[in-house]
Amino acid sequence: MASRIPVKGLDVDEETRCRHYHSEIDRIAIKFYCCGQYYACFACHQATGCGKPKVWPAGSFDQKAVLCGGCGHELSVTEYLQCQSTCPNCAASFNPGCSLHKHLYFA
């Protein structure tokens, strides 16, 4: 991974894949609003995080909160929600199925 930003979780690889999500296109990490730390996924945060998960409030969607595991580019919540599952910096594909879990991360 091009980023030096640490990503926490279980069995996290260089492109932010983890024990829970490890397909080729599982390459984003989410900065959790509650603790300000990047985790590979919600389950990783549940297992090793602060224990107090909070979603990003709508008023903070301009904040950098998503990390591309392909190039290390940080996206704001808004950029991520509008990127159509493709990194705007390196064009790496993100898993479109992640949108099914956005309620775990964003208000």
Side-chain angles (χ1 to χ4, degrees):
M1 177 170 64
S3 174
R4 289 192 163 87
I5 297 172
V7 176
K8 297 181 178 188
L10 302 173
D11 304 324
V12 179
D13 76 6
E14 70 234 10
E15 286 196 336
T16 74
R17 295 176 194 92
C18 66
R19 179 182 299 176
H20 308 102
Y21 297 97
H22 44 80
S23 76
E24 173 63 26
I25 55 177
D26 289 316
R27 66 168 52 91
I28 64 161
I30 307 289
K31 183 188 292 181
F32 275 73
Y33 184 74
C34 46
C35 57
Q37 301 289 314
Y38 275 103
Y39 283 85
C41 75
F42 186 81
C44 284
H45 183 265
Q46 289 285 88
T48 65
C50 70
K52 302 173 188 171
K54 292 183 183 172
V55 298
W56 283 88
S60 296
F61 280 15
D62 61 331
Q63 300 295 308
K64 301 292 186 188
V66 179
L67 180 68
C68 173
C71 69
H73 180 70
E74 286 185 282
L75 292 78
S76 70
V77 176
T78 299
E79 289 170 322
Y80 173 69
L81 294 174
Q82 296 175 350
C83 77
Q84 299 180 3
S85 301
T86 303
C87 177
N89 188 60
C90 73
S93 295
F94 300 150
N95 188 339
C98 290
S99 66
L100 301 173
H101 308 129
K102 67 182 177 185
H103 66 283
L104 298 173
Y105 308 104
F106 315 120

